[in-house]
Amino acid sequence: MEVTKATAALPRKAVSLRRTSLTRNVVVLICCLGILAWLLLDILQERTTAEAASREWHGQFEQDAARQRARIKHSVATFFETAQYLAGHSALRQRVQDWQSGSDAVTPRVSLWQPNWLARIESLDGSIAINFAAVYGRNRERLAIYHKQQRPLPAVLEIAADVGMLQVATQQPQIVSIRNVPFLIAAFPVQDGMNEVTGTLLIASSVDNGFLQRIIGPDPRRTASGLLLGDGQKPVAVSSSRLAEAFAEKKVGREGRFSLVANELLLESEHAPGLRHALWIDEEFVSRSNAPYVFSVRQQRLFIILLFSLLCLTVVARIAVRIEKIHRKVDGYARRLGITLLPDSSHGDQIDHLKRHLERMSEEVIAETYALEYQAQHDNLTNLPNRSLLFERMEVALQNAQDDNEPLALCIMDLDQFKEINDTLGHHIGDRLLQEVARRLASVLRRTDTVSRLGGDEFAALLPGADHQRAKAICRKIIAAMERPIKVENLRLRIGISIGIALCPEHGGDGNLLLQHADVAMYEAKRKALGFCFYMAERDEHSISRLGLAGELSDAINQNQLMLEYQPMVDIKTGKIFCVEALVRWSHPEYGCIPPEEFISAAEQTGVIRPLTLWVMDRALEQSRSWQRAGIDLKISVNLSVRSLQDRKLPDQVQKLIDRYNIDPGRVILEITESAIMSDPLSARRVMRRLSNMGFILSIDDFGTGYSSLAYLKQLPVDEIKIDKSFVTQMDSEENDAVIVRATIDLAHNLGLKVVAEGVESTDVWDLLEMLGCDTAQGFFIRKPVGPHELTDWIRSREWEQERWVKPMGAAI
Ligand code: C2E
Ligand code: CA
Ligand code: CA
């Protein structure tokens, strides 16, 4: 016992381990997606934030660059003015005269300290230091030189040697590069008292880091600036050591720490390289300044993603709960349909499980539908096609025969003395016999032929392509097959068979007619013990009158020979007439009043039943409306035939009538005989469902004669049953009938169906029905069917009576 328990527990555990929950899956998915979204957004945002920040910075950089350029330009201009100012100094003018005239031969011509021939060794605004100064005579010969100690003399000499440069420098400041060291130079002519040019003064300043820093002062942290010669890539002077280091480490440029934003020409010269000013951004500083902003944006983003994830999770949790509910419902339906849904042992979440359950259920339902369809088209006992399938195949076969101009034969077979066997040996022997007969019939025929059991001991064989000869040969085979005794249990039974044959097209071109003629032939064969017999029109006594009658029926409808009578139905509890059943009559000019039982089946066989049913419906609804207008409150009950239930167009046609007379379908009862439903359950079910959906009340007529179970009928959209009069009329004297009626009433009530008893002919039956709790009574005891005017007068004459009218009615019959 223990061992079993343990092993049983194992798979369950494994199952629960393998089952994954939708919520868990989605949580994992959302987390992953959230992180991914966050990362992606972060990268994108980082970039856009940096771009936005740098756009903002850019304006400031432009301003920085412009300010610096202005200062440099100003300093250079002032430097040039300084040359003018120094050249006009009286001491220098005097000296130049002296040097030229040779009167001052002692004055040192080269000085390392500030010479006395210069007024002040500072530029006018002091931002550019004068490193060199030189004086030249009229013939550009060098007269005196001043240079700061730290600069090598030869450089200065070289500047002075370039007399061409001297000339240019008197017009505007110049940049000269001597041994890769750039110098800013400016010159101005020296004049004597007579305004005669006696010489030229040249001043120079080396362009280096100090030069730049003195002019622009300390640069802001965000930028670094530099001076470039010509188109040079590397600056000759930089404003900060950070930039110098970056150049040394090659961290300047697009991907480096410093990136260039401005590069403008400051000084242009034909003879010497121009001087450019450049500005770089310190990206490190900028990104450090952006960091707090980026951080706050990131926080916002994280918050939004978290909020969104939470929202998704709530939605998913809600979906999961709903799926669980659907799941439970599906399982409930499956249980009700008797479908076993195995516990889930495979992978997947709730949706997968639900999907599998639905798939399994639909498979089962499809299989069930197939089985039902098969069942509806086949005979339970013999598994042979039933009447409805035979008709279906016959229609196809007739069409093919017509198209291919080929013959076709239909045989109707009836066993001889089967009733005796059934009665004496019992039904189970009879059933076994029928099964063997069916097997033998099937074995004799081809696959393209159809053998069908029409009911009881009646069979049919549809033989496409069979002419007179072939039909005859087959019948002989069948008779021969039946001659061998049939062994059932310990008995050896012999059974004869009578076969009637109708051929297409000789004996008819439609299924009903062929069946009818084969039937006539079969009776002929049986009556004369012929074995088989072909249909012969001249011997069919009934056919002419029957067919004649059926043919006339169609005209009778148009010529107003039909009429309706109405029979009241009474609520047993209140005694009130609440409904009438419409019953058709044919008042034939020759034969007088023909009861419906004599022409309804002919109408069904000839197809006149459709116009007939519609005619009855039309008149009944018209009458119902006129009662309604007269203030008489009556429901109306109309009979539908077997064929009506196979007619898919019927519901639409009925709807048109309902619309025309503006009648509530809830006040119309449609009576369908039990046998009609059972002869073709599928079509009946379809049409009934449509009629019920349209709002009609559906009633099963002649209940008890069709061998169907109430449980089966309950599957149909039925509202009430009408117990057949054969059980009711004598239920006061026949105990069996009373038992059947009582059981039927109880069962129907348990299933929520109302019960009508028809054929109530006496007070005793009425009282008995009242005692058994039957809902409605109909019968001659209340009133025979009468014409509408008579019924109206009768109802009116009862209205003033206060007491229950039932008792006086007994007298009214
Ligand atoms: P049903 O639908 O069962 O109709 C009841 C039949 O029982 C009627 O016969 C009615 O006159 C008869 N009846 C009523 N009360 C009693 C009673 O107390 N005792 C006895 N012995 N009989 C009673 P009816 O009018 O001759 O109709 C016979 C059948 O013809 C109907 O049986 C119905 O199946 C069919 N039928 C009548 N009118 C129509 C119709 O318009 N369309 C179709 N498709 N069938 C109809
Ligand atoms: Ca009826
Ligand atoms: Ca009936």
Side-chain angles (χ1 to χ4, degrees):
M1 194 66 184
E2 282 303 306
V3 175
T4 341
K5 261 188 187 170
T7 42
L10 245 168
R12 255 207 306 281
K13 197 172 176 195
V15 167
S16 73
L17 277 178
R18 269 188 282 160
R19 266 182 84 137
T20 50
S21 108
L22 175 68
T23 325
R24 207 183 71 191
N25 283 355
V26 174
V27 167
V28 172
L29 189 73
I30 287 180
C31 286
C32 292
L33 282 178
I35 293 171
L36 199 71
W38 190 69
L39 285 175
L40 276 175
L41 283 176
D42 207 51
I43 293 167
L44 285 176
Q45 191 89 33
E46 178 106 48
R47 207 170 274 175
T48 45
T49 314
E51 273 166 15
S54 75
R55 263 197 303 280
E56 205 172 288
W57 284 109
H58 211 81
Q60 295 198 27
F61 300 148
E62 302 255 285
Q63 281 176 13
D64 286 352
R67 203 167 41 240
Q68 289 182 2
R69 273 197 305 276
R71 289 193 66 174
I72 298 168
K73 276 184 179 165
H74 172 76
S75 295
V76 170
T78 315
F79 183 69
F80 187 67
E81 282 162 19
T82 307
Q84 183 182 7
Y85 165 73
L86 292 175
H89 197 262
S90 54
L92 179 63
R93 288 162 74 172
Q94 192 53 56
R95 276 297 167 91
V96 171
Q97 257 179 2
D98 292 350
W99 286 328
Q100 296 237 320
S101 60
S103 58
D104 185 4
V106 253
T107 313
R109 301 287 179 94
V110 176
S111 51
L112 296 173
W113 309 107
Q114 180 176 350
N116 49 10
W117 40 268
L118 279 181
R120 251 190 300 142
I121 293 265
E122 291 297 331
S123 71
L124 283 178
D125 71 352
S127 59
I128 299 179
I130 298 169
N131 305 122
F132 303 98
V135 185
Y136 299 89
R138 276 198 192 89
N139 301 320
R140 311 276 185 230
E141 75 282 11
R142 195 175 62 235
L143 300 178
I145 282 177
Y146 154 73
H147 69 97
K148 271 199 170 172
Q149 267 171 331
Q150 59 266 51
R151 292 290 161 196
L153 186 61
V156 185
L157 293 178
E158 272 175 55
I159 298 170
D162 190 344
V163 282
M165 181 56 71
L166 192 62
Q167 177 65 36
V168 181
T170 57
Q171 281 139 34
Q172 64 169 58
Q174 297 289 323
I175 287 286
V176 291
S177 174
I178 299 159
R179 289 190 208 139
N180 289 334
V181 180
F183 291 93
L184 174 69
I185 60 169
F188 206 82
V190 183
Q191 293 168 335
D192 60 7
M194 309 299 288
N195 282 347
E196 284 261 326
V197 176
T198 51
T200 306
L201 169 71
L202 175 111
I203 56 175
S205 174
S206 62
V207 179
D208 52 18
N209 294 353
F211 174 90
L212 185 61
Q213 279 159 12
R214 269 200 304 281
I215 297 174
I216 62 168
D219 58 357
R221 295 274 312 149
R222 54 190 180 245
T223 55
S225 43
L227 294 172
L228 306 162
L229 276 192
D231 295 332
Q233 298 294 312
K234 210 171 164 197
V236 288
V238 290
S239 66
S240 80
S241 54
R242 289 177 295 133
L243 184 62
E245 281 162 19
F247 264 107
E249 291 168 18
K250 297 205 170 79
K251 283 189 183 162
V252 180
R254 190 175 276 271
E255 302 298 324
R257 174 175 170 181
F258 285 91
S259 54
L260 189 67
V261 284
N263 183 348
E264 293 237 357
L265 198 62
L266 286 173
L267 271 183
E268 207 177 357
S269 156
E270 282 175 31
H271 304 282
L275 185 67
R276 307 183 76 85
H277 169 260
L279 190 85
W280 287 266
I281 317 167
D282 186 346
E283 298 286 3
E284 205 175 280
F285 174 80
V286 170
S287 75
R288 238 183 294 130
S289 319
N290 287 342
Y293 173 67
V294 172
F295 181 69
S296 87
V297 171
R298 187 171 285 166
Q299 263 180 334
Q300 282 173 20
R301 205 164 44 236
L302 191 67
F303 179 70
I304 289 170
I305 286 176
L306 278 178
L307 205 70
F308 186 70
S309 303
L310 205 71
L311 199 79
C312 288
L313 282 180
T314 321
V315 172
V316 167
R318 185 119 187 76
I319 292 172
V321 170
R322 297 194 70 178
I323 287 175
E324 198 56 46
K325 272 190 194 159
I326 298 173
H327 209 148
R328 276 204 294 273
K329 267 200 174 159
V330 168
D331 288 356
Y333 288 138
R335 263 197 304 280
R336 272 168 59 187
L337 291 173
I339 298 169
T340 333
L341 297 173
L342 298 171
D344 258 306
S345 56
S346 37
H347 297 276
D349 54 27
Q350 287 99 317
I351 293 181
D352 293 311
H353 297 165
L354 181 62
K355 192 174 131 236
R356 275 196 292 274
H357 278 201
L358 283 175
E359 278 168 358
R360 169 124 178 73
M361 230 172 98
S362 54
E363 277 165 14
E364 289 282 340
V365 169
I366 290 168
E368 192 116 317
T369 312
Y370 276 134
L372 264 179
E373 255 171 45
Y374 182 85
Q375 207 180 345
Q377 296 191 316
H378 290 80
D379 169 49
N380 268 347
L381 183 69
T382 59
N383 263 345
L384 288 181
N386 62 11
R387 181 185 290 265
S388 109
L389 186 55
L390 175 76
F391 264 87
E392 229 171 73
R393 295 206 182 153
M394 192 139 64
E395 256 174 48
V396 178
L398 280 168
Q399 189 61 47
N400 291 345
Q402 215 174 353
D403 293 348
D404 304 342
N405 208 9
E406 289 215 322
L408 177 148
L410 178 73
C411 304
I412 297 288
M413 298 165 271
D414 195 275
L415 302 183
D416 301 333
Q417 287 95 39
F418 176 72
K419 195 172 177 317
E420 282 78 357
I421 293 178
N422 227 1
D423 290 348
T424 50
L425 300 176
H427 282 271
H428 70 289
I429 299 285
D431 286 352
R432 298 274 302 277
L433 183 83
L434 286 173
Q435 284 169 336
E436 179 55 22
V437 167
R439 204 190 56 74
R440 289 190 186 181
L441 285 176
S443 68
V444 165
L445 297 171
R446 295 178 307 186
R447 283 168 63 86
T448 45
D449 301 335
T450 300
V451 200
S452 155
R453 181 174 172 222
L454 300 178
D457 59 347
E458 204 175 47
F459 295 85
L462 176 70
L463 314 171
D467 56 4
H468 193 281
Q469 282 305 318
R470 191 167 152 64
K472 207 165 157 183
I474 289 175
C475 287
R476 286 205 175 114
K477 270 196 199 170
I478 292 174
I479 290 169
M482 293 303 155
E483 272 165 4
R484 278 182 287 124
I486 295 172
K487 229 182 129 200
V488 181
E489 292 180 0
N490 291 328
L491 303 164
R492 287 165 69 81
L493 303 170
R494 282 185 185 277
I495 189 97
I497 192 163
S498 300
I499 311 173
I501 311 152
L503 298 170
C504 170
E506 295 99 299
H507 303 143
D510 108 22
N512 282 315
L513 207 59
L514 279 179
L515 200 72
Q516 193 185 317
H517 288 169
D519 214 29
V520 170
M522 190 270 288
Y523 278 111
E524 177 84 1
K526 197 174 269 262
R527 201 150 44 89
K528 298 189 178 164
L530 295 172
F532 67 91
C533 177
F534 283 90
Y535 172 75
M536 276 174 283
E538 55 282 12
R539 286 209 214 132
D540 184 2
E541 297 150 13
H542 308 286
S543 72
I544 300 164
S545 65
R546 199 162 40 178
L547 286 176
L549 209 60
E552 275 180 47
L553 188 55
S554 167
D555 297 334
I557 298 172
N558 300 327
Q559 290 164 9
N560 259 347
Q561 290 176 12
L562 297 188
M563 54 175 212
L564 288 185
E565 283 192 336
Y566 298 90
Q567 188 177 26
M569 290 159 80
V570 177
D571 183 327
I572 296 181
K573 275 201 201 88
T574 62
K576 216 174 152 315
I577 307 164
F578 71 100
C579 182
V580 287
E581 178 177 3
L583 295 157
V584 69
R585 311 279 175 255
W586 183 0
S587 130
H588 194 278
E590 203 177 317
Y591 305 117
C593 185
I594 306 177
E597 266 150 350
E598 282 190 27
F599 61 85
I600 292 289
S601 66
E604 280 176 344
Q605 285 175 18
T606 51
V608 182
I609 192 69
R610 183 192 277 181
L612 186 135
T613 305
L614 290 174
W615 182 89
V616 171
M617 192 68 123
D618 185 284
R619 286 304 143 93
L621 293 183
E622 192 184 20
Q623 183 59 49
S624 168
R625 194 183 54 172
S626 77
W627 272 324
Q628 212 170 312
R629 284 186 180 158
I632 298 172
D633 182 22
L634 282 178
K635 286 186 180 175
I636 193 124
S637 188
V638 177
N639 293 285
L640 292 186
S641 96
V642 180
R643 292 277 165 260
S644 308
L645 283 191
Q646 291 163 350
D647 183 359
R648 292 197 187 175
K649 290 189 188 137
L650 180 88
D652 293 332
Q653 287 164 329
V654 169
Q655 181 66 49
K656 275 189 199 146
L657 293 177
I658 284 288
D659 295 341
R660 184 193 300 167
Y661 294 112
N662 192 21
I663 300 241
D664 170 13
R667 301 187 56 73
V668 180
I669 300 169
L670 300 178
E671 293 187 15
I672 301 154
T673 57
E674 192 189 359
S675 51
I677 295 170
M678 296 319 287
S679 76
D680 187 357
L682 273 190
S683 311
R685 196 186 161 108
R686 275 187 212 127
V687 174
M688 284 172 79
R689 185 150 286 163
R690 278 199 63 197
L691 291 170
S692 168
N693 288 342
M694 283 158 71
F696 291 103
I697 300 170
L698 299 187
S699 176
I700 305 290
D701 202 357
D702 298 350
F703 184 78
T705 58
Y707 310 106
S708 62
S709 73
L710 256 183
Y712 171 72
L713 292 180
K714 186 64 193 108
Q715 306 293 317
L716 301 170
V718 169
D719 303 283
E720 66 174 35
I721 57 158
K722 215 168 166 179
I723 306 176
D724 189 60
K725 52 182 175 285
S726 60
F727 298 99
V728 177
T729 311
Q730 282 146 16
M731 67 181 281
D732 53 336
S733 52
E734 292 285 332
E735 202 181 320
N736 277 352
D737 290 353
V739 169
I740 290 172
V741 172
R742 171 199 287 249
T744 308
I745 292 174
D746 289 347
L747 204 58
H749 280 170
N750 282 342
L751 293 169
L753 301 171
K754 280 184 77 180
V755 183
V756 184
E758 64 175 18
V760 182
E761 295 185 353
S762 65
T763 321
D764 292 344
V765 171
W766 172 281
D767 290 341
L768 209 51
L769 287 170
E770 185 173 27
M771 207 179 74
L772 296 178
C774 183
D775 302 284
T776 308
Q778 176 183 2
F780 294 170
F781 172 66
I782 299 150
R783 182 90 221 202
K784 277 191 173 171
V786 286
H789 302 299
E790 204 178 323
L791 191 81
T792 313
D793 294 345
W794 180 74
I795 289 175
R796 287 249 161 88
S797 71
R798 311 266 131 213
E799 267 171 8
W800 51 269
E801 287 182 22
Q802 291 303 306
E803 61 176 305
R804 281 173 61 173
W805 51 271
V806 175
K807 293 211 167 80
M809 270 339 298
I813 298 168

